[in-house]
Amino acid sequence: MINILTDEIDKLFVDVAGCAFDTLGLSGEASVELVFLDEEEIRELNLRTRNIDKSTDVLSYPNLEDIKPFTKENYPYDFDSMQNSVFLGSIAICEQIAQRQAEEYGHSVIRERAYLFLHGLLHLLGYDHIVEDDKLIMRSKEDEILGKMGVNR
């Protein structure tokens, strides 16, 4: 299971993480840091960490290079004994942009929040969308997981 480390725990993120974990066939215990930033904060983070001077909807910072069962034996240096889990990395979401995008794309804010969290989580798990083939795989996983949850576009 995936534990979400955040000040604003929301059942939606727990459900998305659980569905992703099950769908992807992941095993063991993992944790993810989740923070919510305003537009200026996410712009500053994007500039500082990626040298891109603009606000964005979600940023993710993977901690692992390869994905295998989340155990202390597999990840002795990434295992958090306080959480009893392997630390996957951090996700930052801009709530203001999520709300605007939900309206722009014509779906609920719940769907947009679920999508952004899942998108960041998949990045932490090694998925990417730079190359078109990888993008198709990542989008397919996003659609599959959100579809299982009934959170479609």
Side-chain angles (χ1 to χ4, degrees):
M1 188 60 198
I2 298 177
N3 302 313
I4 302 170
L5 312 175
T6 183
D7 290 337
E8 182 187 317
I9 195 65
D10 185 321
K11 185 177 180 321
L12 173 68
F13 302 119
V14 174
D15 291 346
V16 169
C19 189
F21 204 84
D22 291 343
T23 301
L24 299 172
L26 302 173
S27 63
E29 295 291 327
S31 58
V32 173
E33 177 188 39
L34 175 60
V35 297
F36 296 93
L37 304 176
D38 65 30
E39 285 187 72
E40 182 59 25
E41 291 169 326
I42 207 157
R43 184 194 66 76
E44 289 173 5
L45 182 61
N46 203 13
L47 178 61
R48 188 172 67 250
T49 60
R50 299 176 61 226
N51 204 30
I52 298 174
D53 189 11
K54 75 175 209 174
S55 297
T56 189
D57 51 5
V58 62
L59 292 170
S60 54
Y61 299 93
N63 185 50
L64 306 176
E65 291 185 22
D66 60 340
I67 303 302
K68 48 194 166 195
F70 302 120
T71 64
K72 187 175 185 176
E73 293 75 29
N74 285 338
Y75 298 100
Y77 303 109
D78 299 301
F79 190 83
D80 181 343
S81 55
M82 296 281 292
Q83 295 295 321
N84 196 34
S85 63
V86 175
F87 182 63
L88 298 181
S90 302
I91 300 170
I93 294 176
C94 180
E95 191 70 29
Q96 296 157 312
I97 294 175
Q99 290 175 4
R100 280 200 312 269
Q101 288 179 170
E103 186 174 321
E104 177 184 332
Y105 299 143
H107 54 241
S108 70
V109 173
I110 290 171
R111 193 271 176 202
E112 188 65 17
R113 293 177 92 214
Y115 171 78
L116 293 175
F117 176 72
L118 177 58
H119 186 85
L121 180 60
L122 288 175
H123 278 304
L124 299 185
L125 295 169
Y127 290 83
D128 212 333
H129 49 80
I130 295 171
V131 176
E132 190 61 31
D133 286 347
D134 293 342
K135 180 178 180 178
L136 292 173
I137 292 168
M138 187 171 180
R139 295 289 182 250
S140 172
K141 290 297 178 191
E142 290 167 344
D143 289 344
E144 178 182 2
I145 293 164
L146 293 176
K148 284 183 179 181
M149 295 182 63
V151 185
N152 300 313
R153 289 185 180 194

